[in-house]
Amino acid sequence: MAETVDFVELAGKAYPAGSSINLEYADQLYAELYKLPEWHFLMTPESIRSRHPSVQVIDGKGWLLVFTDADLLRKYAEQNKNLDAEGNALFISMAPDKALQFLQQYEKSPIGGVRFNEGANHGWFSPVRNLFIFPDYLKKKGLL
């Protein structure tokens, strides 16, 4: 069985507080992100009806929230009272390649981008356009 990646720990190493980005860990973080079987997009009852992931306003900008595992998403949804009437966390899951196809509609939108594992000790964010660049970059480095 493959070793499970601790994305929270890896993000903390890639983006240490009060320091500049650690490129080696950041490359590893994104390589592991693209190797996941699924990305989990936070939904709300309203976003389910509109068939688009929820855009959350954080620091005055709109963001799509994506989680590397459903447990982190559930924890965020519970802490932020972002649940349906039955108390369920709502999300849609997509393989990374399908997620990139889906995200194309947001590439030129005014949203800030995608925040990964929001609410965890170490989450991170990316402009949407960068998510399309990273796979080729990581392939050239032999990480994908």
Side-chain angles (χ1 to χ4, degrees), residues 72-128:
L72 287 172
L73 184 142
R74 280 187 200 94
K75 184 177 176 183
Y76 176 86
E78 289 169 1
Q79 288 174 341
N80 291 281
K81 298 182 179 24
N82 196 349
L83 304 168
D84 69 8
E86 291 80 38
N88 298 309
L90 301 174
F91 60 95
I92 56 171
S93 300
M94 293 179 231
D97 60 332
K98 298 293 183 198
L100 290 178
Q101 290 173 5
F102 173 78
L103 287 168
Q104 284 179 328
Q105 66 186 306
Y106 295 99
E107 191 172 9
K108 294 181 181 170
S109 77
I111 69 166
V114 176
R115 292 176 79 106
F116 292 94
N117 293 341
E118 184 66 22
N121 288 338
H122 301 289
W124 76 99
F125 67 90
S126 174
V128 172

Side-chain angles (χ1 to χ4, degrees), residues 58-79:
I58 300 169
D59 297 331
K61 290 183 180 178
W63 298 88
L64 296 172
L65 302 188
V66 175
F67 295 82
T68 56
D69 70 64
D71 290 337
L72 287 172
L73 184 142
R74 280 187 200 94
K75 184 177 176 183
Y76 176 86
E78 289 169 1
Q79 288 174 341

